[in-house]
Amino acid sequence: MANFDTATAFLILGVFHVLMPLVTWLILIKVRDAPLAWWCGGGLLIGVSVFTVSIHQKLPVWMDVNALTALLFTGSLMRIQALRVDLGIAWSARSFIGIVVLLSLPYYVLAYGLQDPMLRVMYASIAGLVVCGYTGALALRIGREEQSSNARWIAVYLLVALAFLFRFISLSEVKGTPNLATEGLTGTLIAVAGLFSATIANFAYAGLALDRARRREAALVDVRAADTANRLLSDQIAQLDRQRGLGQLSASLAHELTQPLTAVLTNTQIAQRGLNSGKLDTPAHLELLGKIVTSTQRAAQIIDQIRKYIKPSDARHEPVDLARLVHDVAELLAAESRLARTRFEFSAITSHAWVQGDPLQLSQVLLNGMKNAVEAMTSAPGQPIKVNCQRVGNDVIVQICDAGPGLSPQALAQAGATFFTTKPNGLGLGLSISKAIAQQHGGTLALSNNQPALGATLTLRLPAASGFAATAPAQL
Amino acid sequence: MNPAVTLKPKSKPEFRRIVTVADQNLAARCAHGKVVLIDDDAPVLDALCTLLEMEGYAVEAHSSATQYLETVALKAPQFEGPTCMVCDVMMPDVDGLALQRHLAQTDAHQDMPMVLMSGASGAREAASAFKAGALDFLVKPIDADALLNAVAEALDASRQRQISHKRQSTLAQRIATLSAREREIAKRVARGQSNPSIGADLGIALRTVKLHRQRAVEKLGAAGLPDLVRMAADGNL
């Protein structure tokens, strides 16, 4: 063993221990995170301390002692902290400092207080044993929990622990001041173990860091997939909600359609009788035919509204005139509002209120809001529902104001939460879907009670589409 | 142009007098039959109105029940003739069924049978309409023949009711002209009492009985004993 210069070995070890974490830190630039910082930082400190072991003869004793304590202990604990962060049981800043102090204090006491080099070195060996052993144990734990073979390789630290144990045992044979650099066998053992740990553990940790990065990526992909699935589901729910809404309207829609059809049938039969009896002249017949055409067009219009509303389509992104949409939806609800003995009164509605978005989704929001208003008006028959649609600054604001009973404070707080409803047959999805649509369009939807009058107001605020001039409000 | 105010205790409007040529046409139509048409949908109202007028009826078109009731409140005198009402069920404000109930309660137009129409054929609607005395319930879109048949039936019913009403009021008038004695004797005769027994019950001579009886029969205008019996029953003697 005389040929083996332990000092040189430790020198090389020190350089290694400094170089490897540095290189790792530089190379893994893309996957840098907190645990990697702890590991590499710790490795750096350990490296410097190992370096001093090799040149400690040239150092004054005080520097030697302090270097060992400060650097080695802190560095090792930093590496332990890296592993603990990975496991999720990181020490808090205060605990970390506390443990460093706890570990170093006896060493200082032995170095300066008792001034017993033997005890000091013995303590160092025990400390090294404990620290490296713990590192290895943590590594094995990570390996088990994350099923990672990389982590298990880090357990090479146990070899270092064993080497320290060996030193501790062999210290009994040493006379005078123990000096690692000159102790043949133990020095070699520790150096070799140290070399192993420097390389293997470092590579293994790099692998661990890459594993972690890959896991994060996979989680991100999962989140994105869940998001897409969510969006598809909510689109489907919105579609079903539309169909259900239309189904509920169907009775009043059927009535709405029979009116023009009645006019068509009656006028046609009048024309037939007129032709048969000769009681009507040609202008009268032409007038009848004109009325038939008008009524048929009206029926076609109603069917068109229904079709536009029910057709499933991917969300479009185009300029939409909200004012026009408000009128369309009011038409769709004409029969329903008549049944409830109310009507829509359009006040302060600009002739055009352009926003960017999907006309189908926005009409759904309006339909839900206006239908709720109609249903609220059963307690206040005869009064109108006031609907505003104006451009205010950079926004377009639609307000649907009913004179119903309004909302209780609890209902107001919970309105818009999924599956919350005050209706006996309600699903509780309409308002939450509407809110989601408003948000997707970059706007907001809010429900509030009217002050001081009775009733509630639904306010839809959307960013106005750029490039369209704001037109003056027209009284309708 | 309004006729002289009548002294009759009833609040029924006096019949309107014919003054102009237009009045003449309208009166002729009303004599054939008057239809009060109520529907809130303008094209439908217009079409039905044209159809009924083609048939020779007089049509009073309203776009809401409230409008109709306002017109009624004016108590304008009308031309004589049967009337009926054709009314849509689903309307804002007062709907057809509510109007039916209102009219039944106010007792003002029992002469006017109702035909109801609906765009949505609810069985419950129809059932309650019939229970409240509607003559017919038509589902839109309505066939012209179906409507005209229903209207003809309704006007017929109205005519019958008007006749029976008139008869009833005439009878009541005549009964009012009877003196107490005449009335009492007429009642007993209708019940089948013989003259002598009536005289015995009331304590008057047979000759007096016969005199009162003759006067009562004359005043009532009864053709014979069966007629008297019927009048007694109808007039609630």
Side-chain angles (χ1 to χ4, degrees), chain A residues 60-88:
Chain A
V61 176
W62 68 267
M63 201 180 212
D64 172 26
V65 164
N66 292 334
L68 210 62
T69 322
L71 299 173
L72 195 58
F73 284 175
T74 315
S76 313
L77 286 169
M78 279 173 81
R79 287 217 150 166
I80 291 180
Q81 174 75 325
L83 294 176
R84 282 183 75 101
V85 168
D86 209 14
L87 282 170

PDB file of all heavy atoms in Angstrom, chain A residues 60-88:
ATOM      1  N   PRO A  60      -3.153  25.129   8.048  1.00  0.00           N
ATOM      2  CA  PRO A  60      -3.143  25.233   9.505  1.00  0.00           C
ATOM      3  C   PRO A  60      -4.282  24.376  10.062  1.00  0.00           C
ATOM      4  O   PRO A  60      -5.291  24.162   9.398  1.00  0.00           O
ATOM      5  CB  PRO A  60      -3.383  26.725   9.766  1.00  0.00           C
ATOM      6  CG  PRO A  60      -3.952  27.250   8.477  1.00  0.00           C
ATOM      7  CD  PRO A  60      -3.410  26.413   7.388  1.00  0.00           C
ATOM      8  N   VAL A  61      -4.096  23.916  11.283  1.00  0.00           N
ATOM      9  CA  VAL A  61      -5.053  22.958  11.878  1.00  0.00           C
ATOM     10  C   VAL A  61      -6.453  23.546  11.943  1.00  0.00           C
ATOM     11  O   VAL A  61      -7.433  22.878  11.653  1.00  0.00           O
ATOM     12  CB  VAL A  61      -4.589  22.558  13.299  1.00  0.00           C
ATOM     13  CG1 VAL A  61      -5.627  21.665  13.939  1.00  0.00           C
ATOM     14  CG2 VAL A  61      -3.265  21.853  13.213  1.00  0.00           C
ATOM     15  N   TRP A  62      -6.537  24.807  12.305  1.00  0.00           N
ATOM     16  CA  TRP A  62      -7.878  25.386  12.483  1.00  0.00           C
ATOM     17  C   TRP A  62      -8.652  25.358  11.187  1.00  0.00           C
ATOM     18  O   TRP A  62      -9.843  25.116  11.141  1.00  0.00           O
ATOM     19  CB  TRP A  62      -7.780  26.800  13.067  1.00  0.00           C
ATOM     20  CG  TRP A  62      -7.159  27.819  12.120  1.00  0.00           C
ATOM     21  CD1 TRP A  62      -5.847  28.178  12.045  1.00  0.00           C
ATOM     22  CD2 TRP A  62      -7.825  28.569  11.106  1.00  0.00           C
ATOM     23  NE1 TRP A  62      -5.649  29.101  11.086  1.00  0.00           N
ATOM     24  CE2 TRP A  62      -6.860  29.365  10.477  1.00  0.00           C
ATOM     25  CE3 TRP A  62      -9.155  28.671  10.674  1.00  0.00           C
ATOM     26  CZ2 TRP A  62      -7.170  30.238   9.447  1.00  0.00           C
ATOM     27  CZ3 TRP A  62      -9.436  29.553   9.622  1.00  0.00           C
ATOM     28  CH2 TRP A  62      -8.440  30.321   9.021  1.00  0.00           C
ATOM     29  N   MET A  63      -7.919  25.610  10.078  1.00  0.00           N
ATOM     30  CA  MET A  63      -8.592  25.631   8.785  1.00  0.00           C
ATOM     31  C   MET A  63      -9.042  24.222   8.413  1.00  0.00           C
ATOM     32  O   MET A  63     -10.131  24.027   7.890  1.00  0.00           O
ATOM     33  CB  MET A  63      -7.640  26.171   7.719  1.00  0.00           C
ATOM     34  CG  MET A  63      -8.404  26.691   6.523  1.00  0.00           C
ATOM     35  SD  MET A  63      -7.302  27.313   5.301  1.00  0.00           S
ATOM     36  CE  MET A  63      -8.284  28.583   4.625  1.00  0.00           C
ATOM     37  N   ASP A  64      -8.158  23.282   8.710  1.00  0.00           N
ATOM     38  CA  ASP A  64      -8.457  21.893   8.413  1.00  0.00           C
ATOM     39  C   ASP A  64      -9.749  21.468   9.101  1.00  0.00           C
ATOM     40  O   ASP A  64     -10.672  20.960   8.485  1.00  0.00           O
ATOM     41  CB  ASP A  64      -7.275  21.038   8.889  1.00  0.00           C
ATOM     42  CG  ASP A  64      -7.605  19.567   8.779  1.00  0.00           C
ATOM     43  OD1 ASP A  64      -8.457  19.209   7.928  1.00  0.00           O
ATOM     44  OD2 ASP A  64      -7.038  18.775   9.555  1.00  0.00           O
ATOM     45  N   VAL A  65      -9.803  21.745  10.374  1.00  0.00           N
ATOM     46  CA  VAL A  65     -10.979  21.345  11.154  1.00  0.00           C
ATOM     47  C   VAL A  65     -12.239  22.012  10.614  1.00  0.00           C
ATOM     48  O   VAL A  65     -13.247  21.375  10.353  1.00  0.00           O
ATOM     49  CB  VAL A  65     -10.778  21.739  12.636  1.00  0.00           C
ATOM     50  CG1 VAL A  65     -12.095  21.702  13.372  1.00  0.00           C
ATOM     51  CG2 VAL A  65      -9.785  20.811  13.271  1.00  0.00           C
ATOM     52  N   ASN A  66     -12.137  23.291  10.460  1.00  0.00           N
ATOM     53  CA  ASN A  66     -13.335  24.031  10.045  1.00  0.00           C
ATOM     54  C   ASN A  66     -13.787  23.609   8.665  1.00  0.00           C
ATOM     55  O   ASN A  66     -14.975  23.449   8.406  1.00  0.00           O
ATOM     56  CB  ASN A  66     -13.074  25.530  10.065  1.00  0.00           C
ATOM     57  CG  ASN A  66     -12.893  26.008  11.491  1.00  0.00           C
ATOM     58  OD1 ASN A  66     -13.398  25.402  12.424  1.00  0.00           O
ATOM     59  ND2 ASN A  66     -12.144  27.084  11.665  1.00  0.00           N
ATOM     60  N   ALA A  67     -12.827  23.418   7.797  1.00  0.00           N
ATOM     61  CA  ALA A  67     -13.184  23.021   6.440  1.00  0.00           C
ATOM     62  C   ALA A  67     -13.958  21.720   6.485  1.00  0.00           C
ATOM     63  O   ALA A  67     -15.021  21.584   5.882  1.00  0.00           O
ATOM     64  CB  ALA A  67     -11.936  22.859   5.591  1.00  0.00           C
ATOM     65  N   LEU A  68     -13.408  20.769   7.234  1.00  0.00           N
ATOM     66  CA  LEU A  68     -14.052  19.474   7.310  1.00  0.00           C
ATOM     67  C   LEU A  68     -15.477  19.594   7.828  1.00  0.00           C
ATOM     68  O   LEU A  68     -16.425  19.078   7.240  1.00  0.00           O
ATOM     69  CB  LEU A  68     -13.234  18.562   8.238  1.00  0.00           C
ATOM     70  CG  LEU A  68     -13.303  17.075   7.889  1.00  0.00           C
ATOM     71  CD1 LEU A  68     -12.738  16.831   6.506  1.00  0.00           C
ATOM     72  CD2 LEU A  68     -12.546  16.267   8.922  1.00  0.00           C
ATOM     73  N   THR A  69     -15.596  20.291   8.959  1.00  0.00           N
ATOM     74  CA  THR A  69     -16.913  20.398   9.562  1.00  0.00           C
ATOM     75  C   THR A  69     -17.893  21.090   8.637  1.00  0.00           C
ATOM     76  O   THR A  69     -18.908  20.524   8.228  1.00  0.00           O
ATOM     77  CB  THR A  69     -16.841  21.226  10.866  1.00  0.00           C
ATOM     78  OG1 THR A  69     -15.646  20.914  11.534  1.00  0.00           O
ATOM     79  CG2 THR A  69     -18.042  20.934  11.728  1.00  0.00           C
ATOM     80  N   ALA A  70     -17.528  22.339   8.343  1.00  0.00           N
ATOM     81  CA  ALA A  70     -18.473  23.154   7.592  1.00  0.00           C
ATOM     82  C   ALA A  70     -18.825  22.489   6.279  1.00  0.00           C
ATOM     83  O   ALA A  70     -19.991  22.240   5.975  1.00  0.00           O
ATOM     84  CB  ALA A  70     -17.887  24.532   7.347  1.00  0.00           C
ATOM     85  N   LEU A  71     -17.819  22.218   5.501  1.00  0.00           N
ATOM     86  CA  LEU A  71     -18.083  21.784   4.141  1.00  0.00           C
ATOM     87  C   LEU A  71     -18.629  20.360   4.078  1.00  0.00           C
ATOM     88  O   LEU A  71     -19.649  20.112   3.437  1.00  0.00           O
ATOM     89  CB  LEU A  71     -16.797  21.897   3.309  1.00  0.00           C
ATOM     90  CG  LEU A  71     -16.240  23.324   3.193  1.00  0.00           C
ATOM     91  CD1 LEU A  71     -14.894  23.300   2.506  1.00  0.00           C
ATOM     92  CD2 LEU A  71     -17.209  24.207   2.442  1.00  0.00           C
ATOM     93  N   LEU A  72     -17.962  19.474   4.723  1.00  0.00           N
ATOM     94  CA  LEU A  72     -18.360  18.092   4.572  1.00  0.00           C
ATOM     95  C   LEU A  72     -19.747  17.829   5.118  1.00  0.00           C
ATOM     96  O   LEU A  72     -20.606  17.229   4.462  1.00  0.00           O
ATOM     97  CB  LEU A  72     -17.337  17.184   5.284  1.00  0.00           C
ATOM     98  CG  LEU A  72     -17.443  15.699   4.906  1.00  0.00           C
ATOM     99  CD1 LEU A  72     -17.272  15.500   3.416  1.00  0.00           C
ATOM    100  CD2 LEU A  72     -16.420  14.893   5.668  1.00  0.00           C
ATOM    101  N   PHE A  73     -19.954  18.281   6.344  1.00  0.00           N
ATOM    102  CA  PHE A  73     -21.257  18.028   6.938  1.00  0.00           C
ATOM    103  C   PHE A  73     -22.364  18.696   6.141  1.00  0.00           C
ATOM    104  O   PHE A  73     -23.382  18.093   5.805  1.00  0.00           O
ATOM    105  CB  PHE A  73     -21.279  18.524   8.387  1.00  0.00           C
ATOM    106  CG  PHE A  73     -20.544  17.610   9.329  1.00  0.00           C
ATOM    107  CD1 PHE A  73     -20.373  17.962  10.649  1.00  0.00           C
ATOM    108  CD2 PHE A  73     -20.016  16.407   8.889  1.00  0.00           C
ATOM    109  CE1 PHE A  73     -19.700  17.123  11.519  1.00  0.00           C
ATOM    110  CE2 PHE A  73     -19.340  15.572   9.747  1.00  0.00           C
ATOM    111  CZ  PHE A  73     -19.174  15.928  11.081  1.00  0.00           C
ATOM    112  N   THR A  74     -22.165  20.007   5.848  1.00  0.00           N
ATOM    113  CA  THR A  74     -23.211  20.723   5.118  1.00  0.00           C
ATOM    114  C   THR A  74     -23.482  20.079   3.766  1.00  0.00           C
ATOM    115  O   THR A  74     -24.632  19.863   3.380  1.00  0.00           O
ATOM    116  CB  THR A  74     -22.812  22.198   4.921  1.00  0.00           C
ATOM    117  OG1 THR A  74     -22.296  22.711   6.148  1.00  0.00           O
ATOM    118  CG2 THR A  74     -24.002  23.029   4.485  1.00  0.00           C
ATOM    119  N   GLY A  75     -22.371  19.765   3.079  1.00  0.00           N
ATOM    120  CA  GLY A  75     -22.539  19.173   1.758  1.00  0.00           C
ATOM    121  C   GLY A  75     -23.311  17.869   1.805  1.00  0.00           C
ATOM    122  O   GLY A  75     -24.231  17.636   1.007  1.00  0.00           O
ATOM    123  N   SER A  76     -22.931  17.011   2.774  1.00  0.00           N
ATOM    124  CA  SER A  76     -23.618  15.718   2.874  1.00  0.00           C
ATOM    125  C   SER A  76     -25.082  15.906   3.206  1.00  0.00           C
ATOM    126  O   SER A  76     -25.958  15.221   2.672  1.00  0.00           O
ATOM    127  CB  SER A  76     -22.965  14.855   3.954  1.00  0.00           C
ATOM    128  OG  SER A  76     -21.573  14.876   3.812  1.00  0.00           O
ATOM    129  N   LEU A  77     -25.328  16.846   4.111  1.00  0.00           N
ATOM    130  CA  LEU A  77     -26.719  17.091   4.483  1.00  0.00           C
ATOM    131  C   LEU A  77     -27.499  17.678   3.313  1.00  0.00           C
ATOM    132  O   LEU A  77     -28.690  17.407   3.145  1.00  0.00           O
ATOM    133  CB  LEU A  77     -26.788  18.016   5.698  1.00  0.00           C
ATOM    134  CG  LEU A  77     -26.382  17.303   6.996  1.00  0.00           C
ATOM    135  CD1 LEU A  77     -26.204  18.288   8.125  1.00  0.00           C
ATOM    136  CD2 LEU A  77     -27.419  16.260   7.366  1.00  0.00           C
ATOM    137  N   MET A  78     -26.807  18.457   2.492  1.00  0.00           N
ATOM    138  CA  MET A  78     -27.495  18.992   1.310  1.00  0.00           C
ATOM    139  C   MET A  78     -27.902  17.862   0.376  1.00  0.00           C
ATOM    140  O   MET A  78     -28.978  17.889  -0.218  1.00  0.00           O
ATOM    141  CB  MET A  78     -26.592  19.989   0.568  1.00  0.00           C
ATOM    142  CG  MET A  78     -26.594  21.372   1.181  1.00  0.00           C
ATOM    143  SD  MET A  78     -25.386  22.448   0.427  1.00  0.00           S
ATOM    144  CE  MET A  78     -26.242  22.964  -1.038  1.00  0.00           C
ATOM    145  N   ARG A  79     -27.038  16.893   0.253  1.00  0.00           N
ATOM    146  CA  ARG A  79     -27.396  15.766  -0.616  1.00  0.00           C
ATOM    147  C   ARG A  79     -28.569  14.995  -0.024  1.00  0.00           C
ATOM    148  O   ARG A  79     -29.463  14.540  -0.748  1.00  0.00           O
ATOM    149  CB  ARG A  79     -26.189  14.845  -0.782  1.00  0.00           C
ATOM    150  CG  ARG A  79     -25.130  15.467  -1.668  1.00  0.00           C
ATOM    151  CD  ARG A  79     -24.466  14.446  -2.526  1.00  0.00           C
ATOM    152  NE  ARG A  79     -24.034  15.040  -3.765  1.00  0.00           N
ATOM    153  CZ  ARG A  79     -23.183  14.472  -4.612  1.00  0.00           C
ATOM    154  NH1 ARG A  79     -22.680  13.292  -4.322  1.00  0.00           N
ATOM    155  NH2 ARG A  79     -22.847  15.088  -5.720  1.00  0.00           N
ATOM    156  N   ILE A  80     -28.543  14.858   1.292  1.00  0.00           N
ATOM    157  CA  ILE A  80     -29.680  14.198   1.938  1.00  0.00           C
ATOM    158  C   ILE A  80     -30.953  15.003   1.705  1.00  0.00           C
ATOM    159  O   ILE A  80     -32.025  14.452   1.411  1.00  0.00           O
ATOM    160  CB  ILE A  80     -29.402  14.015   3.451  1.00  0.00           C
ATOM    161  CG1 ILE A  80     -28.303  12.978   3.627  1.00  0.00           C
ATOM    162  CG2 ILE A  80     -30.673  13.624   4.191  1.00  0.00           C
ATOM    163  CD1 ILE A  80     -27.951  12.713   5.071  1.00  0.00           C
ATOM    164  N   GLN A  81     -30.848  16.320   1.813  1.00  0.00           N
ATOM    165  CA  GLN A  81     -32.000  17.188   1.575  1.00  0.00           C
ATOM    166  C   GLN A  81     -32.533  16.998   0.159  1.00  0.00           C
ATOM    167  O   GLN A  81     -33.748  16.966  -0.060  1.00  0.00           O
ATOM    168  CB  GLN A  81     -31.598  18.656   1.807  1.00  0.00           C
ATOM    169  CG  GLN A  81     -32.669  19.667   1.461  1.00  0.00           C
ATOM    170  CD  GLN A  81     -33.798  19.739   2.491  1.00  0.00           C
ATOM    171  OE1 GLN A  81     -34.182  18.736   3.088  1.00  0.00           O
ATOM    172  NE2 GLN A  81     -34.314  20.920   2.676  1.00  0.00           N
ATOM    173  N   ALA A  82     -31.599  16.827  -0.805  1.00  0.00           N
ATOM    174  CA  ALA A  82     -32.030  16.616  -2.196  1.00  0.00           C
ATOM    175  C   ALA A  82     -32.921  15.380  -2.284  1.00  0.00           C
ATOM    176  O   ALA A  82     -33.983  15.392  -2.917  1.00  0.00           O
ATOM    177  CB  ALA A  82     -30.819  16.463  -3.110  1.00  0.00           C
ATOM    178  N   LEU A  83     -32.478  14.314  -1.617  1.00  0.00           N
ATOM    179  CA  LEU A  83     -33.264  13.085  -1.656  1.00  0.00           C
ATOM    180  C   LEU A  83     -34.578  13.249  -0.901  1.00  0.00           C
ATOM    181  O   LEU A  83     -35.623  12.740  -1.312  1.00  0.00           O
ATOM    182  CB  LEU A  83     -32.452  11.932  -1.055  1.00  0.00           C
ATOM    183  CG  LEU A  83     -31.211  11.531  -1.868  1.00  0.00           C
ATOM    184  CD1 LEU A  83     -30.424  10.458  -1.130  1.00  0.00           C
ATOM    185  CD2 LEU A  83     -31.589  11.046  -3.245  1.00  0.00           C
ATOM    186  N   ARG A  84     -34.542  13.990   0.172  1.00  0.00           N
ATOM    187  CA  ARG A  84     -35.770  14.201   0.947  1.00  0.00           C
ATOM    188  C   ARG A  84     -36.787  15.027   0.155  1.00  0.00           C
ATOM    189  O   ARG A  84     -37.990  14.802   0.215  1.00  0.00           O
ATOM    190  CB  ARG A  84     -35.446  14.888   2.269  1.00  0.00           C
ATOM    191  CG  ARG A  84     -34.863  13.946   3.303  1.00  0.00           C
ATOM    192  CD  ARG A  84     -34.633  14.666   4.632  1.00  0.00           C
ATOM    193  NE  ARG A  84     -35.873  14.876   5.331  1.00  0.00           N
ATOM    194  CZ  ARG A  84     -36.299  14.135   6.350  1.00  0.00           C
ATOM    195  NH1 ARG A  84     -35.574  13.099   6.753  1.00  0.00           N
ATOM    196  NH2 ARG A  84     -37.426  14.410   6.949  1.00  0.00           N
ATOM    197  N   VAL A  85     -36.282  16.014  -0.593  1.00  0.00           N
ATOM    198  CA  VAL A  85     -37.188  16.817  -1.424  1.00  0.00           C
ATOM    199  C   VAL A  85     -37.873  15.913  -2.436  1.00  0.00           C
ATOM    200  O   VAL A  85     -39.073  16.010  -2.689  1.00  0.00           O
ATOM    201  CB  VAL A  85     -36.430  17.951  -2.155  1.00  0.00           C
ATOM    202  CG1 VAL A  85     -37.315  18.576  -3.222  1.00  0.00           C
ATOM    203  CG2 VAL A  85     -35.986  19.012  -1.172  1.00  0.00           C
ATOM    204  N   ASP A  86     -37.091  15.004  -3.004  1.00  0.00           N
ATOM    205  CA  ASP A  86     -37.669  14.084  -3.978  1.00  0.00           C
ATOM    206  C   ASP A  86     -38.771  13.233  -3.367  1.00  0.00           C
ATOM    207  O   ASP A  86     -39.749  12.904  -4.016  1.00  0.00           O
ATOM    208  CB  ASP A  86     -36.552  13.191  -4.528  1.00  0.00           C
ATOM    209  CG  ASP A  86     -36.850  12.749  -5.939  1.00  0.00           C
ATOM    210  OD1 ASP A  86     -37.770  13.339  -6.555  1.00  0.00           O
ATOM    211  OD2 ASP A  86     -36.193  11.817  -6.423  1.00  0.00           O
ATOM    212  N   LEU A  87     -38.564  12.879  -2.091  1.00  0.00           N
ATOM    213  CA  LEU A  87     -39.576  12.070  -1.413  1.00  0.00           C
ATOM    214  C   LEU A  87     -40.729  12.914  -0.886  1.00  0.00           C
ATOM    215  O   LEU A  87     -41.749  12.384  -0.479  1.00  0.00           O
ATOM    216  CB  LEU A  87     -38.936  11.326  -0.225  1.00  0.00           C
ATOM    217  CG  LEU A  87     -38.131  10.088  -0.587  1.00  0.00           C
ATOM    218  CD1 LEU A  87     -37.353   9.598   0.625  1.00  0.00           C
ATOM    219  CD2 LEU A  87     -39.055   8.981  -1.064  1.00  0.00           C
ATOM    220  N   GLY A  88     -40.541  14.208  -0.878  1.00  0.00           N
ATOM    221  CA  GLY A  88     -41.599  15.076  -0.385  1.00  0.00           C
ATOM    222  C   GLY A  88     -41.510  15.351   1.100  1.00  0.00           C
ATOM    223  O   GLY A  88     -42.435  15.895   1.688  1.00  0.00           O
TER     224      GLY A  88
END
